[in-house]
Amino acid sequence: MRVLAIIPARGGSKGVLRKNIQQVHGKPLLAYSIELGKQCKQIMDTVVSTDDDEIEAVALSLGAFVIKRPKELASDVSDVADTVSHAILELKEKQNKTYDIIVLLQPTSPLRTCTDISNVIGMFNDDSPLEGVVSVVKVVDNHPARMYKLLETKKIDPYIKKEETIRRQDLEPLYIRNGSIYAVKTNVFMEKNTLMPTNKKAYVMDYRWAVNVDTEIDLELLEIVLPKWKAIYEDIDN
């Protein structure tokens, strides 16, 4: 299959300013996704979509191909699906390139390997009607049974009343997207303009490494977790 990896990296991040090029263990955060895209044999091309000149320069220095997107596709309310669509159309119109599968690699969730990518692509090979794959992790302490609605009186109302006192070990297993991998068939994406098609499956990853950089604390956490993760997973793809 012809697989395109798209790395969205806008310049106007708010929770962590310039987060896509913040240094993490001596590299810009963006570098981890670019390196993965270039390393994985299943990925035919890797592109960085950005509106920002500095991010473009960093991406080019890392050997990435860059697609500049218009500012209206890089606002706080922009839909990432529109960014993906823009990249697909740019590659088709300017380089006459088409792909079977699109893989979105968000720079803010970098703890993934080529083995993960290979496993995701394999899911499409094993299930021809499959339209999309989304990476998830098991919900542990943040299970909905532990959540409450806060009333005006500051009283708390259990979100799931009948499960409020159930032991965590006895709760129904639930999963949440970890932001690491979104994969979708190109024809499905172009028809429906979504990374979350109806016929999709989960790719389950280890919840211990679910770091998604949205705040300064997340960035500090990644600094701590990354070397521990590398010690376990770095040799998998070698």
Side-chain angles (χ1 to χ4, degrees):
M1 290 188 179
R2 294 166 299 178
V3 180
L4 171 66
I6 299 177
I7 302 170
R10 72 187 185 99
S13 54
K14 296 295 190 295
V16 181
L17 295 179
R18 315 296 292 163
K19 68 179 175 183
N20 289 309
I21 51 177
Q22 289 286 334
Q23 292 290 308
V24 179
H25 278 272
K27 297 180 184 179
L29 180 59
L30 181 66
Y32 295 96
S33 296
I34 292 174
E35 290 173 355
L36 181 76
K38 294 173 65 178
Q39 178 186 355
C40 296
K41 295 178 181 179
Q42 289 83 3
I43 295 176
M44 180 178 175
D45 291 316
T46 299
V47 301
V48 173
S49 171
T50 187
D51 63 310
D52 186 90
D53 291 341
E54 185 180 9
I55 292 176
E56 178 185 24
V58 170
L60 289 172
S61 74
L62 294 166
F65 181 79
V66 176
I67 292 177
K68 289 297 287 289
R69 58 174 133 146
K71 293 293 183 182
E72 58 265 26
L73 296 183
S75 72
D76 292 342
V77 296
S78 297
D79 189 336
V80 71
D82 294 332
T83 294
V84 172
S85 180
H86 175 262
I88 293 171
L89 293 174
E90 284 283 300
L91 288 165
K92 183 176 182 180
E93 292 174 4
K94 296 183 178 180
Q95 297 193 24
N96 197 30
K97 287 188 173 182
T98 59
Y99 304 89
D100 301 305
I101 293 176
I102 305 301
V103 177
L104 187 76
L105 300 177
Q106 298 190 117
T108 48
S109 301
L111 302 185
R112 42 170 128 69
T113 67
C114 285
T115 298
D116 293 320
I117 300 298
S118 180
N119 290 341
V120 167
I121 301 305
M123 293 172 70
F124 288 99
N125 288 325
D126 295 339
D127 184 358
S128 57
L130 184 64
E131 296 178 336
V133 176
V134 180
S135 63
V136 301
V137 294
K138 188 175 182 179
V139 175
V140 186
D141 292 332
N142 289 331
H143 194 284
R146 299 291 181 263
M147 295 181 180
Y148 295 86
K149 297 176 184 177
L150 185 61
L151 306 179
E152 291 182 4
T153 59
K154 293 193 177 179
K155 288 184 178 180
I156 52 177
D157 181 25
Y159 185 68
I160 306 177
K161 292 180 174 60
K162 64 181 180 180
E163 296 183 0
E164 181 184 18
T165 59
I166 296 178
R167 297 189 315 156
R168 178 173 60 82
Q169 299 92 321
D170 298 329
L171 290 169
E172 177 188 5
L174 294 176
Y175 296 82
I176 188 170
R177 303 198 305 264
N178 67 344
S180 190
I181 302 170
Y182 292 84
V184 63
K185 286 182 176 176
T186 309
N187 62 333
V188 173
F189 176 84
M190 296 306 291
E191 178 186 349
K192 301 180 179 179
N193 196 45
T194 181
L195 294 161
M196 301 290 288
T198 303
N199 185 11
K200 58 184 174 292
K201 286 185 176 180
Y203 177 68
V204 181
M205 300 177 73
D206 192 330
Y207 72 88
R208 295 176 299 169
W209 314 112
V211 180
N212 193 337
V213 179
D214 283 325
T215 67
E216 294 285 352
I217 295 294
D218 296 329
L219 197 61
E220 293 175 13
L221 179 60
L222 182 59
E223 283 277 357
I224 297 170
V225 171
L226 183 62
K228 299 177 183 294
W229 176 86
K230 289 179 67 175
I232 296 174
Y233 290 98
E234 192 168 40
D235 292 336
I236 288 179
D237 296 325
N238 298 329

